[in-house]
Amino acid sequence: MAGLLAFLVLVSAAGPARAVQVVGLYNFDTLVTSRSAEARALAARRGLSQVLVRISGSRETLAVPAVLDALDRADQLLIQARYESTKYTLQDETGAEVPADRLHMVFSASAVQQLLRGAGLPVWGDNRPPVLVWVVVPRDEGDNFISGPRDGEAGEWLQAHAARRGIPLQFPLLDLTDQFALDVRQVQQMQEGPLRTASARYGADHVIAGTLSRTATAWSARWVALVRGESFVFQTTAESLDVLTGDAIDIVADRMAIRYAVRATEFGGTRVRMTIDAIADVASYARVGELLRELTPVKAAEIVSVRGETSVWLLDIEGSHRQFLDLLALKPQFREVVPPQADSEQVWRLHYRYRR
């Protein structure tokens, strides 16, 4: 798995799991046998393909004509490319084993987003909800849960494919509390009730649970995924754990992107009038503005009135108000006071309380 994306997230082991900032979404690492311009151009094409899927949230992005044109000039979207020597070897075009270098590339975030928006495609920001993983694998001593990304080949591949799609994973502690809440048999039987109960400890709105098994020739798995209250069951079958786990992560990532990847609207965005209580000082006003502008749909945010510790903000957003609310729900600093409603001018009115 050498050469996979260096992918960093901030995910605590327990406690409320809201959004985390994903670092490295525009990066791509690969091993190469040559430092030629031709080899770099081919690597840049592969790298940009992965970045575009990661940022748009959809594998169908790579079939869009404007994207196909951009892939032919992928190296023009690079802002950094550097080589590092490694201890690995690869086969060159003649079949000979030769030393491999690691090529680290960083693509321009603004150029990638501009390309996607110009093609009418969605953009998924870097604040993303973690996915809690309850995966059962066969072991010599009996079936058991994966405890983390270093717990065997299945854990490594799950983490690698999650990184490929820009999905932060969270693994359970598997302590006594978890053992009482959920056992292997309940996951094998796809019992959603115990799964939701065990996951509630982590504040997880996004969960994937699966049971892996293998024969002499193939791997198979049954999965259940929870995405903010929605549940769906699916199966994957493949000759390797690499493909098996990759297919599962792709299915979950695609479903999450429907909620969180924001598509620019052709006829303008949506106006949101947001009342926020408990903003006590200048530093809090600055922090609230920063938190709001971090949300992918928000194009502009301005204060229109202040009365004591309550202020009213006018927001211009892309996409639907539902996507905005889904993304806002990932920010634990905001707690809903009154359910949202649209006024006579179709401006959505929200009322939240700020918590530092």
Side-chain angles (χ1 to χ4, degrees), residues 53 59 161 164-165 245-255:
V53 172
R59 289 169 285 172
H161 287 296
R164 174 176 57 80
R165 290 301 301 265
T245 53
D247 288 346
I249 292 294
D250 279 334
I251 290 169
V252 174
D254 288 349
R255 191 68 66 95

Side-chain angles (χ1 to χ4, degrees), residues 60-271:
E60 295 179 0
T61 294
L62 301 182
V64 175
V67 170
L68 292 172
D69 290 342
L71 291 176
D72 290 334
R73 49 180 177 83
D75 53 348
Q76 296 179 18
L77 276 68
L78 284 169
I79 58 174
Q80 184 183 132
R82 70 171 186 270
Y83 295 93
E84 299 172 356
S85 299
T86 74
K87 62 181 179 181
Y88 303 106
T89 61
L90 291 174
Q91 287 187 347
D92 64 12
E93 60 275 6
T94 68
E97 289 286 333
V98 297
D101 292 325
R102 176 174 288 106
L103 173 56
H104 173 73
M105 293 177 286
V106 181
F107 292 89
S108 166
S110 60
V112 168
Q113 292 182 23
Q114 183 179 3
L115 168 62
L116 291 172
R117 289 193 171 101
L121 296 167
V123 171
W124 192 357
D126 61 0
N127 280 275
R128 302 188 175 192
V131 175
L132 182 63
V133 177
W134 301 92
V135 175
V136 178
V137 295
R139 303 182 191 271
D140 293 338
E141 65 275 17
D143 294 351
N144 212 336
F145 290 112
I146 295 173
S147 62
R150 294 183 176 85
D151 186 8
E153 188 179 358
E156 292 178 5
W157 279 120
L158 280 168
Q159 179 60 50
H161 287 296
R164 174 176 57 80
R165 290 301 301 265
I167 302 296
L169 292 188
Q170 182 179 20
F171 290 85
L173 296 174
L174 301 181
D175 56 9
L176 285 175
T177 301
D178 285 343
Q179 292 172 37
F180 280 117
L182 188 68
D183 61 35
V184 166
R185 177 184 54 82
Q186 290 169 321
V187 172
Q188 291 171 331
Q189 295 175 356
M190 299 292 181
Q191 296 183 22
E192 287 189 28
L195 178 60
R196 291 182 186 277
T197 299
S199 301
R201 174 193 185 188
Y202 299 90
D205 290 328
H206 304 79
V207 180
I208 181 171
T211 303
L212 278 58
S213 59
R214 66 175 171 181
T215 65
T217 58
W219 283 87
S220 63
R222 296 174 63 241
W223 308 89
V224 57
L226 311 177
V227 178
R228 284 191 62 80
E230 175 194 12
S231 66
F232 55 99
V233 176
F234 60 97
Q235 296 184 346
T236 55
T237 303
E239 294 182 357
S240 68
L241 271 176
D242 175 8
V243 176
L244 183 89
T245 53
D247 288 346
I249 292 294
D250 279 334
I251 290 169
V252 174
D254 288 349
R255 191 68 66 95
M256 291 175 66
I258 293 173
R259 283 185 174 269
Y260 300 115
V262 177
R263 191 187 303 267
T265 52
E266 183 179 356
F267 302 105
T270 302
R271 303 300 297 277

